[in-house]
Amino acid sequence: MNAGPSATMTNPANTSSPNEINLRKPDFQSAAPAPNGAPDEVAIRADKFDGWYGEFHALKGISLEIPRCRVTAFIGPSGCGKSTFLRWMNRMNDSIVGARASGTLTLDGEDLLSRTRDVVELRRNVGMVFQKPNPFPKSIYDNVAFGPRLHRSFRSSDLDELVENSLRAAALWDEVKDRLKSSALGLSGGQQQRLCIARAIAVGPEVLLMDEPCSALDPRSTASIEQLIRELEAQYTIVIVTHNMQQAARVSDRTAFFFEGSLIECGDTDEIFTNPRNKRTEDYVSGRFG
Amino acid sequence: MMAGLPATARARRSPAAIAASAPANSQAGRRAADRSFLALCLGITSLTVVILAVLLITIWNDGHGRLSWDFLTNFASRKPAEAGVKASLWGSIWVCAICALSALPIGVGTAIYLEEFSRRSRLTSFIKLNIANLAGVPSIVYGILGLTAFARLFGMASADSPITLGNPESFFYLQLPFGHGVLAGGLTLMLVVLPIIIVSSQEALRSVPRSLRTGSLALGATQWQTTWNITLPASIPMIMTGAILAMSRAIGEAAPVLVLGVPLFIRSTPTNLMSDFTVLPLQIFNWAGRPQAEFHELAAAAIIVLLAVLLTFNAIAVVLRHRLQRAAG
Amino acid sequence: MQNAAAVSTAARSAAAASRRGTARSRAARDGTERVIRGALLGCALLSVASTFTILVILLAQTGQFLAMPEVSAWEFFTGTTWSPLLGAEKHFGIWPLVTGTMLITAIAAAFALPVGLVVAIYLSEYAPARVRTALKPVLEILAGIPTVVYGFFALTVITPFLHDHVSESFGTYNALGAGIAVGIMILPIVASLSEDALRAVPRSLRDASSALGSTRFDTSVKVVVPAALSGIVASWLLAITRALGETMIVALAAGGLAHMTANPADELQTMTAYMVQIFLGDAPAYGVEYRSSYAVATVLFAMTLGLTIVGNLFLRAFREEYE
């Protein structure tokens, strides 16, 4: 029972839900053009996508579309395959023994699963933020500059500017501008996570994948990250995996519900939370299981 | 008391009843066993401390009278009063430096390959098994390997008329085969300590959290960029601690060097990689093997010098470990 | 926190700035990666090469030795006389050297295995943290002392002690003095590896035992030690391997007389001590005596390799238990 590719975008700017009144994102029409200026509204498209870990069939026939410059949330109980699916989008599963996939998964119409695909270039284009903040044991500056230095050689003034803008984009600049050279490990958990977002932004990605980015944070840090996510969507296609349904309702435009490796339902967030088509979705979002 | 139980259970006695029916072990006896075992532990553990104390004290008593600046700056001699450790001390320093410079890159490289680059394959598990087994090979057998591979180059070139490159007086002098010069000695000790360095470096790399690696890979870093920029810097203090312990093993080894056939009596310090040498442990062996008490005193004095070098090494290791703990906490 | 417009402006600038540098080429990057991977694999294969080379050298030289007219393979593997350097008739029967090695190892093991285990139990189960931090360095120093120093210790302290206080029959060179010194050398290996094994036993097991009313002795000896047994046995096997291959102590303190004896007061020769005697230059290179040392090395290598493999099997069983 898949929503399938037929679940296309409706304009989320016109919809509203009671618990996100204060966090409306910028108007759809006024949003900045996508970085690559692609005319297609769909950034990532999966069609009959299957994923395995060895013998374990982790993802079964997933078909969905992820709109450009919008926030899409993956929800579902633990082990439902949502994180696994996320990790296929930047091929982080490559390093896992026995992980394989079939079907179609494309970014901007280009095959993500191809053997000849340059994984390094893909990951530059698809950034990832992890469950636990994982700043490198380096200075704040070096954390942000790490990615850019890998891919290009910069003049130092350009690099300074890039680091500053990335930290500004992660709403961290004002808090750390006086101690860029001190260790990133001295930051608070929420600051560390925003640093990881800045680090991902600095390589100039088009897509940001977030794997439960707030699950290790306190409520106040969570609120600041959620606000940041809403602010970043003008520029980035964001996919966020979350266990927290309120969070999905607060930050996302689109929601996909996974259950036991299958995509049960995918649609506008308001739709999923107020008027789900599937009984299991309704049970899950209303907290009856999971 | 069992009236309420179902019929099947009625015939059985309760666990408490069975337990109560058995004769009790003497509580006093058990407590006495506990106490005497503790006494045994304390006795035996203090025995090890006593052994170490006796060892260090007798060596100090035997040797400290011979310690002097002259002892460090004189060559070995037939006359005990004039004998010193200059040749063997410098030989040890040269050989250890060569050993460190060769064993560290190869050992750490092997560990990086096994921990960061290898896929789960038959080759990988064979290499791992092989390293585990190498750790158990007696050091004298490594001496035989060094003798054949380095000192004699598998007999491919004659030891009597070696192929020479450069001027024997200069630092850049090389000959094939290496003969029993410091290069052959250092490389032989490299074989001895390689398994130690590999295993400790593997542990060091394994201690780096997985999340740092995935964080780097997700930014588009290659495996090597991740290793070089993230994993290796994070594990370097632990790698160095292991390497220093390996070096202290190398500096104390006598058997593999002995097998190379180094001359027992040397009155020069090395000047290039082909120079003849001896090492402190071999000098100690030589002196300790003689019957005269004077030479035993010399051996004890040389042991004090050797232990002082080892103590310095270990002090460095302790400082590194402290830094590591501070960085981690 | 900044306002939304500032964030998206900054994000746009960051995206632009990230494209400003000169891109690096994929070919160069992939090439570097491949070269480095190859170099690292080369390092790893070096250790395989050294095992292989050891095997080839030992087997080839042993083959040549056994093919020599003075030697017969049958005598080598079954003979009980080893007299390669003496007079007209040379005998190459390996057993005197093997039994000599075994006697030294047995003495060392009889001392170090129980003592090491008791020290490990004390450190892991009884010792207060302060005592532990004081005792660990003692073991580390014992482990770090070069074996030639233990040889000297055997010669100048243990043997005179045995001669003066135990029996007049202990001469300058004897098996017991050398064996005890080897035992002291392997003691820290047993103690620290066994302690690791004991500490790896989950706390819950100790708690369960205490909750049943066990004394600390009951818990240590009846619960923790059995649970850690495979790790303890692995440490024993490793220590025995080291004792078999120990060279400098026996070369200094056990003597040079190859004969079959079970008397710990006797002088005897081990396999390693014989090799030292040959390589120190008592025999002409490439002669039959010289080659015989390779044959002895092969036997020693086979023994230690066998023990190492068995020890690793034990250790693997031990790891599976707690991971």
Side-chain angles (χ1 to χ4, degrees):
Chain A
M1 164 103 203
N2 292 335
S6 62
T8 48
M9 277 243 340
T10 57
N11 187 346
N14 299 332
T15 59
S16 172
S17 108
N19 45 5
E20 50 179 312
I21 298 161
N22 299 326
L23 287 170
R24 279 322 313 172
K25 60 184 179 52
D27 182 62
F28 176 64
Q29 275 77 18
S30 68
N36 288 2
D40 192 355
E41 289 182 328
V42 176
I44 298 172
R45 176 178 280 125
D47 193 20
K48 299 194 183 65
F49 178 89
D50 283 76
W52 286 269
Y53 286 133
E55 292 302 299
F56 177 59
H57 198 170
L59 290 164
K60 300 163 193 158
I62 309 291
S63 299
L64 92 166
E65 294 176 342
I66 291 169
R68 188 179 306 285
C69 288
R70 285 289 171 272
V71 179
T72 303
F74 288 178
I75 60 169
S78 304
C80 66
K82 55 193 192 304
S83 285
T84 306
F85 190 43
L86 194 76
R87 291 167 66 89
W88 273 110
M89 293 180 185
N90 68 346
R91 296 272 296 268
M92 288 303 282
N93 283 333
D94 282 16
S95 56
I96 292 170
V97 180
R100 65 205 159 83
S102 70
T104 312
L105 187 63
T106 60
L107 170 64
D108 298 332
E110 286 175 40
D111 185 12
L112 273 178
L113 302 174
S114 153
R115 276 182 178 278
T116 55
R117 176 107 197 183
D118 182 1
V119 177
V120 166
E121 183 56 27
L122 167 66
R123 289 174 185 164
R124 201 199 54 69
N125 208 14
V126 182
M128 191 164 196
V129 177
F130 296 85
Q131 198 167 356
K132 244 183 87 192
N134 56 352
F136 302 133
K138 295 171 179 287
S139 72
I140 294 168
Y141 185 97
D142 285 341
N143 262 278
V144 182
F146 180 81
R149 280 178 178 146
L150 293 174
H151 302 293
R152 287 163 179 269
S153 49
F154 285 88
R155 276 184 303 163
S156 71
S157 59
D158 284 347
L159 199 58
D160 291 348
E161 188 192 336
L162 175 56
V163 169
E164 177 178 342
N165 281 322
S166 303
L167 286 167
R168 280 189 193 282
L172 191 59
W173 173 254
D174 292 332
E175 291 161 65
V176 300
K177 63 184 173 203
D178 299 324
R179 47 172 174 149
L180 291 175
K181 295 290 169 202
S182 59
S183 169
L185 300 177
L187 297 174
S188 74
Q191 288 174 324
Q192 288 189 358
Q193 194 63 302
R194 276 182 280 148
L195 178 66
C196 291
I197 293 174
R199 193 173 68 182
I201 286 173
V203 293
E206 179 192 336
V207 180
L208 281 179
L209 307 176
M210 300 192 174
D211 190 357
E212 300 185 38
C214 302
S215 63
L217 303 181
D218 61 82
R220 181 184 287 186
S221 307
T222 301
S224 73
I225 300 278
E226 286 179 3
Q227 187 186 343
L228 181 61
I229 291 170
R230 299 258 39 156
E231 287 162 2
L232 286 172
E233 87 172 303
Q235 192 66 26
Y236 302 99
T237 304
I238 296 175
V239 185
I240 175 170
V241 164
T242 178
H243 265 124
N244 180 333
M245 271 163 304
Q246 278 75 35
Q247 182 170 69
R250 280 195 298 267
V251 303
S252 71
D253 307 300
R254 305 267 297 165
T255 297
F257 172 59
F258 287 76
F259 186 70
E260 289 180 350
S262 298
L263 177 66
I264 303 300
E265 189 168 348
C266 176
D268 288 348
T269 297
D270 304 321
E271 200 80 357
I272 294 278
F273 278 89
T274 55
N275 189 18
R277 276 169 292 164
N278 189 286
K279 180 77 171 64
R280 271 177 294 187
T281 315
E282 188 182 345
D283 288 350
Y284 185 73
V285 297
S286 59
R288 247 166 276 169
F289 80 96
Chain B
M1 141 181 162
M2 291 188 203
L5 290 174
T8 46
R10 197 171 297 152
R12 297 183 187 157
R13 293 186 299 157
S14 77
I18 302 172
S21 70
N25 285 342
S26 140
Q27 287 302 312
R30 286 176 60 220
R31 229 167 287 138
D34 191 33
R35 225 169 293 138
S36 40
F37 185 71
L38 178 59
L40 177 77
C41 281
L42 283 171
I44 282 186
T45 309
S46 9
L47 175 71
T48 63
V49 179
V50 168
I51 288 173
L52 181 63
V54 169
L55 182 105
L56 295 177
I57 289 168
T58 50
I59 284 171
W60 176 255
N61 282 344
D62 286 359
H64 79 277
R66 294 274 174 185
L67 280 180
S68 66
W69 188 246
D70 284 348
F71 184 70
L72 295 178
T73 54
N74 281 1
F75 288 113
S77 165
R78 276 172 227 290
K79 293 179 211 146
E82 292 169 12
V85 292
K86 185 175 183 186
S88 50
L89 184 58
W90 281 100
S92 279
I93 292 170
W94 271 73
V95 165
C96 266
I98 294 166
C99 172
L101 290 176
S102 54
L104 256 182
I106 295 174
V108 176
T110 303
I112 290 175
Y113 177 79
L114 291 175
E115 292 301 314
E116 311 291 324
F117 281 79
S118 65
R119 309 204 174 88
R120 219 183 285 168
S121 69
R122 249 186 240 166
L123 176 68
T124 308
S125 49
F126 178 67
I127 294 175
K128 285 183 179 168
L129 181 73
N130 178 65
I131 289 164
N133 291 335
L134 273 182
V137 173
S139 58
I140 195 166
V141 173
Y142 283 112
I144 289 179
L145 176 60
L147 174 70
T148 315
F150 304 130
R152 299 206 180 125
L153 213 65
F154 304 103
M156 282 190 285
S158 161
D160 301 325
S161 53
I163 305 159
T164 57
L165 299 163
N167 176 2
E169 306 297 318
S170 86
F171 177 79
F172 298 100
Y173 172 66
L174 275 179
Q175 66 171 47
L176 290 172
F178 299 149
H180 36 65
V182 285
L183 183 61
L187 292 179
T188 304
L189 289 181
M190 170 202 81
L191 297 173
V192 177
V193 300
L194 206 49
I196 306 173
I197 292 188
I198 293 172
V199 171
S200 65
S201 303
Q202 277 183 286
E203 277 167 17
L205 291 169
R206 242 178 268 148
S207 75
V208 177
R210 186 111 250 132
S211 67
L212 291 184
R213 293 188 183 87
T214 45
S216 169
L217 291 173
L219 288 171
T222 61
Q223 195 66 51
W224 173 245
Q225 286 168 331
T226 301
T227 306
W228 182 251
N229 293 305
I230 304 295
T231 322
L232 210 48
S235 57
I236 217 77
M238 233 175 123
I239 290 179
M240 291 315 292
T241 309
I244 285 171
L245 293 179
M247 282 306 115
S248 52
R249 169 91 190 270
I251 208 167
E253 278 290 350
V257 179
L258 182 148
V259 173
L260 285 180
V262 300
L264 288 176
F265 199 74
I266 289 187
R267 295 187 59 90
S268 63
T269 55
T271 54
N272 61 45
L273 294 176
M274 299 300 130
S275 299
D276 276 342
F277 73 103
T278 186
V279 290
L280 271 174
L282 215 51
Q283 185 65 66
I284 294 165
F285 174 68
N286 191 3
W287 279 332
R290 300 193 189 192
Q292 300 93 331
E294 291 92 337
F295 284 108
H296 281 184
E297 289 169 14
L298 287 173
I303 288 173
I304 295 171
V305 174
L306 179 59
L307 291 183
V309 174
L310 283 170
L311 207 66
T312 319
F313 271 43
N314 281 282
I316 297 171
V318 167
V319 170
L320 272 178
R321 210 180 304 165
H322 266 266
R323 279 217 190 138
L324 165 80
Q325 278 159 355
R326 209 174 307 154
Chain C
M1 185 103 351
Q2 299 152 304
N3 62 37
V7 163
S8 57
T9 312
R12 223 166 299 142
S13 320
S18 73
R19 279 162 185 73
R20 209 164 293 155
T22 319
R24 302 186 197 278
S25 99
R26 178 187 180 185
R29 181 226 307 148
D30 288 357
T32 313
E33 197 74 4
R34 218 165 300 134
V35 167
I36 286 170
R37 195 192 151 84
L40 294 173
L41 177 62
C43 290
L45 288 178
L46 196 82
S47 69
V48 178
S50 67
T51 312
F52 182 73
T53 315
I54 289 175
L55 275 175
V56 168
I57 293 169
L58 291 182
L59 292 178
Q61 293 279 350
T62 305
Q64 286 183 8
F65 166 73
L66 293 177
M68 288 178 123
E70 301 95 321
V71 189
S72 86
W74 175 253
E75 189 197 6
F76 179 71
F77 288 114
T78 61
T80 55
T81 312
W82 184 265
S83 55
L85 302 167
L86 295 174
E89 202 171 333
K90 292 173 176 174
H91 288 284
F92 295 97
I94 187 80
W95 280 100
L97 298 182
V98 172
T99 54
T101 303
M102 284 178 160
L103 181 60
I104 295 283
T105 306
I107 294 168
F111 169 75
L113 304 192
V115 169
L117 179 58
V118 169
V119 171
I121 293 175
Y122 177 70
L123 283 177
S124 147
E125 308 298 315
Y126 284 82
R130 247 187 353 190
V131 178
R132 224 183 140 260
T133 46
L135 278 175
K136 284 295 266 188
V138 171
L139 288 179
E140 278 166 20
I141 294 173
L142 278 173
I145 287 177
T147 62
V148 70
V149 178
Y150 286 118
F152 180 79
F153 186 62
L155 206 57
T156 59
V157 177
I158 303 176
T159 292
F161 179 86
L162 292 173
H163 182 268
D164 296 346
H165 299 281
V166 179
S167 159
E168 295 275 319
S169 63
F170 284 95
T172 314
Y173 304 114
N174 64 78
L176 187 60
I180 291 173
V182 174
I184 298 173
M185 181 204 87
I186 62 173
L187 171 65
I189 299 174
V190 179
S192 47
L193 291 182
S194 295
E195 197 213 341
D196 289 347
L198 292 170
R199 289 173 80 83
V201 173
R203 229 203 118 66
S204 57
L205 232 58
R206 293 186 181 84
D207 291 346
S209 169
S210 311
L212 291 172
S214 303
T215 62
R216 226 166 2 167
F217 171 70
D218 294 332
T219 305
S220 315
V221 174
K222 295 172 192 161
V223 176
V224 181
V225 169
L229 196 60
S230 46
I232 293 169
V233 172
S235 82
W236 284 356
L237 291 175
L238 182 67
I240 291 172
T241 311
R242 287 292 297 276
L244 284 176
E246 175 42 39
T247 306
M248 301 320 286
I249 298 175
V250 288
L252 272 174
L257 182 63
H259 66 140
M260 291 184 68
T261 177
N263 180 359
D266 273 357
E267 180 181 353
L268 54 73
Q269 191 168 41
T270 66
M271 295 191 273
T272 50
Y274 174 70
M275 287 155 75
V276 167
Q277 189 185 1
I278 294 302
F279 285 112
L280 271 180
D282 278 10
Y286 299 111
V288 64
E289 303 89 345
Y290 188 81
R291 287 244 163 84
S292 71
S293 65
Y294 283 88
V296 171
T298 308
V299 174
L300 175 66
F301 181 74
M303 287 167 74
T304 55
L305 186 68
L307 274 176
T308 311
I309 290 172
V310 174
N312 285 332
L313 290 179
F314 264 98
L315 215 55
R316 198 169 298 168
F318 158 71
R319 282 205 181 122
E320 275 166 5
E321 224 168 303
Y322 297 113
E323 273 182 16

